[in-house]
Amino acid sequence: MTENIKELDKQYIAHAYARFPVQIVSGKGARAYDENGKEYIDMTSGIAVNSFGYADDEWKDAVMAQLGKVQHTSNVFYTEPCVQLAKALCERTGMKKAFFGNSGAEANECAIKVTRKYASEKKGADCYKIITINNGFHGRTITTLAATGQEHYHELYQPLTPGFLYCDANDIDQMNKLVSENKVAGIMLECIQGEGGVNVLDKQFVKAVERICKEKDILLIIDEVQTGNGRTGKLYSYMNYDVEPDIVTTAKGLGGGLPIGACLIGDKAENVLSFGDHGSTFGGNPVVCAGALNILERMTDQFMQEISEKGRFIIDSFKDAPGVETVSGMGLMVGIKPVKPAKDVVVKCIDEGVLCLTAKDRVRLLPPLNIPMADLEKAVQIIKRVIAE
Ligand SMILES: *Cc1c(COP(=O)(O)O)cnc(C)c1O
């Protein structure tokens, strides 16, 4: 890597990230190239963001066409891509309204605001508690950190936004207890905890949560920031669980590489937000939305079936493989717990030309959704070898 970049980064970038010593200078599809021309197979998609890999032509054409027309107005005017994207998202999920922001955290902030306002109007101002799941992840703002059920993220930033309660994953009794002992406005969860280590929640648990929400008029918020937009082999991961959320939040892969967050609101709360209640300067940006529309249009049933098949290939490849303790995941979101430290595996894989991620004690794989089978096979072979060594 050019020493200069490393030095400048150290001097001028806030030290919030521990980077791997690789500078990505270009890419195409599932292949990335560093400054020395070394090629990598990308099993990260920039953390589930580049849905069709690097510099995808169709997506780029959609983005560039809009860029040449209007790059931004503000939300006091109409633009077509934003409205068309909202329509496509609502039609494909059954949700009624979309609010656009620029990130996952903002999508969740919107969901939390809608939930609090809904409960306050229907059940009174003292009903504001939101239950989330331990080991989940919902963002880095002060409120979404509070929603994140991981103590170690909370320590440095007290006091966080009050009003959050935490339940262990798959513990229905604990959930029932929390709901009966508190005034609860919403329950928020990821069907598959991404940052938490690719933990797939039990269907029984998620169904039970849905039932509790329906009975008590509690809003069910599903955080699809990482799991959404085809990643698990369905458009949204909750579609694997046969549940109907009241609010769906998404971000990461929706933009195909440009920043967007969306809070989709179902019929219960569709009219909760009124003029002036919420806003975002960049939210619904026409360039980003034009790209997202292209991403969404390409999420056909056939394409998502291929995602499921590729996911099964990965899981089957690592199940019972030497040096592997457990494998979890769904579609192209897979976590592998190696016997040796996950970080060591990732460092060695990068050395061997495969980019991958960690999540807690797991190696996390999030390849582009259109990764060619040959690249996937090659990457899996290398990761397997590194884990077995
Ligand atoms: C990444 C992530 C977020 C936060 O998204 P940002 O765009 O980084 O704000 C929230 N929830 C989940 C499940 C995520 O994976």
Side-chain angles (χ1 to χ4, degrees), residues 102-275:
N102 314 283
S103 65
E106 285 168 273
N108 287 335
E109 288 271 351
C110 178
I112 292 162
K113 286 175 86 168
V114 169
T115 300
R116 283 195 172 182
K117 190 173 175 209
Y118 174 86
S120 145
E121 285 174 348
K122 276 197 86 172
K123 304 193 208 170
D126 61 343
C127 180
Y128 56 79
K129 295 256 162 64
I130 294 178
I131 303 173
T132 66
I133 308 296
N134 279 318
N135 201 42
F137 185 84
H138 300 293
R140 301 283 197 160
T141 63
I142 289 290
T143 297
T144 56
L145 270 184
T148 293
Q150 301 191 48
E151 278 289 315
H152 70 103
Y153 281 124
H154 295 178
E155 282 156 16
L156 302 173
Y157 306 106
Q158 297 294 331
L160 299 179
T161 306
F164 290 90
L165 301 166
Y166 313 99
C167 176
D168 287 337
N170 303 323
D171 190 337
I172 298 170
D173 293 341
Q174 192 184 357
M175 184 62 85
N176 273 316
K177 190 159 184 287
L178 284 169
V179 167
S180 61
E181 290 173 358
N182 295 280
K183 290 185 188 276
V184 178
I187 300 179
M188 175 151 87
L189 58 85
E190 306 155 84
C191 292
I192 304 168
Q193 296 182 323
E195 307 300 309
V198 196
N199 303 319
V200 182
L201 295 198
D202 292 347
K203 186 166 179 181
Q204 227 185 347
F205 176 72
V206 179
K207 286 295 282 180
V209 170
E210 182 197 37
R211 202 159 43 241
I212 294 167
C213 287
K214 285 224 161 84
E215 275 167 25
K216 310 246 165 161
D217 195 14
I218 291 168
L219 296 185
L220 173 59
I221 309 157
I222 307 228
D223 180 337
E224 296 274 2
V225 172
Q226 190 162 154
T227 49
N229 313 297
R231 180 58 52 189
T232 67
K234 296 272 187 198
L235 190 58
Y236 291 100
S237 70
Y238 74 80
M239 295 170 178
N240 296 295
Y241 282 76
D242 185 31
V243 292
E244 286 175 6
D246 298 302
I247 297 179
V248 175
T249 60
T250 191
K252 292 194 167 96
L254 178 59
L258 289 173
I260 187 169
C263 176
L264 309 178
I265 307 164
D267 50 9
K268 262 192 177 180
E270 71 167 310
N271 295 315
V272 165
L273 289 182
S274 37
F275 296 131

Side-chain angles (χ1 to χ4, degrees), residues 273-334:
L273 289 182
S274 37
F275 296 131
D277 280 352
H278 197 37
S280 166
T281 297
F282 284 112
N285 173 279
V287 174
V288 183
C289 288
L293 254 178
N294 174 263
I295 298 290
L296 211 57
E297 279 164 7
R298 293 156 75 188
M299 296 289 158
T300 60
D301 289 346
Q302 168 69 30
F303 183 64
M304 287 189 283
Q305 197 179 321
E306 286 165 23
I307 293 169
S308 296
E309 283 159 18
K310 286 173 187 171
R312 265 194 297 277
F313 164 75
I314 303 179
I315 290 179
D316 289 346
S317 302
F318 286 99
K319 212 190 293 163
D320 306 320
V324 173
E325 281 185 10
T326 56
V327 190
S328 59
M330 210 184 272
L332 287 173
M333 177 172 186
V334 178

